[in-house]
Amino acid sequence: MTIRRRSWRGAGAFAAAAVVGLAGGVLSASPAAAHTPTWAVTCSDVTLNLTAYSGDATNEVTVSVVGGDDLLATTQFGRDFSTKAPLQLPKHDKELTVRLVVKAGDDDKYSVDDTKTAPVCEDDTPSPTPTEATPSETPSTEPPASETPAPSKTPTEAAPAPAEPSSSGPDLAETGSSSATPVIGGAAAAVLLAGGGILWSVRKRRTAQH
């Protein structure tokens, strides 16, 4: 009987040790599965899922762009937190660094401070600005140097028309021929004839008196 009691006691003690060891293993394994921050970053947005945090403590989370604005201002949460809609990143033509900060209220060793890179989206890449075509040569209105322009003919001056005599000017002296010459000649002939007649009649009277 004594042997049997001892064997039962030994078996009970072994079982108790096994239970304690199993409980210790569960307790030691539970922190590894707790405080799980999961987040992803794309070229346009950020998704966040925090699980298995302490519901008895006040936890905080912040998401921001390094050197830029906050995508998620400091927010308090309990056991779990997740973004109902992705956090939108600003349009960018170069890579952005996104920072996640989680402060665990139960123990600071569960806090997280992590960064990820957001690549450039293809739609955000600026298209090259078209350059205006520069004309190779500036058009010139001057004739080429090799061509000598023909000398232009100087118009000859027209000879001045002879000036017409002015009616108001003095009369020119009459020359040998004039329109009054026949009249003068006729008058002289008449005077001569009259003188000859008078002379003839005088002579005739004198002859008759003698």
Side-chain angles (χ1 to χ4, degrees), residues 150-166:
S152 60
K153 295 182 179 180
T154 304
T156 57
E157 297 181 358
E164 296 182 358
S166 175

Side-chain angles (χ1 to χ4, degrees), residues 133-149:
T134 304
S136 57
E137 295 182 0
T138 304
S140 175
T141 57
E142 298 181 358
S146 59
E147 297 181 2
T148 303

Side-chain angles (χ1 to χ4, degrees), residues 37 50 53 59-62 77 100-104 110-113:
L50 308 177
Y53 280 80
N59 308 299
E60 294 180 352
V61 57
T62 305
F77 67 98
L100 168 67
V101 177
V102 179
K103 293 183 179 180
Y110 300 123
S111 298
V112 175
D113 191 342

Side-chain angles (χ1 to χ4, degrees), residues 1-100:
M1 295 297 294
T2 304
I3 296 175
R4 289 181 179 178
R5 289 179 179 176
R6 287 180 179 178
S7 62
W8 281 106
R9 289 177 180 175
F14 177 77
V19 171
V20 172
L22 181 60
V26 172
L27 293 175
S28 61
S30 59
H35 305 86
T36 307
T38 303
W39 68 307
V41 177
T42 66
C43 69
S44 60
D45 53 48
V46 178
T47 55
L48 182 63
N49 188 25
L50 308 177
T51 59
Y53 280 80
S54 174
D56 298 331
T58 301
N59 308 299
E60 294 180 352
V61 57
T62 305
V63 181
S64 62
V65 175
V66 176
D69 299 331
D70 289 343
L71 301 178
L72 176 66
T74 302
T75 304
Q76 296 181 350
F77 67 98
R79 181 174 178 80
D80 301 318
F81 178 85
S82 61
T83 52
K84 296 180 180 179
L87 305 175
Q88 297 298 316
L89 288 170
K91 289 187 177 182
H92 50 282
D93 55 3
K94 60 182 179 180
E95 294 182 346
L96 297 179
T97 302
V98 184
R99 181 184 181 188
L100 168 67

Side-chain angles (χ1 to χ4, degrees), residues 52 64 73 107 146 148 160 163 169 177 192 206:
S64 62
D107 196 334
S146 59
T148 303
S177 62
L192 290 177
R206 287 178 180 180

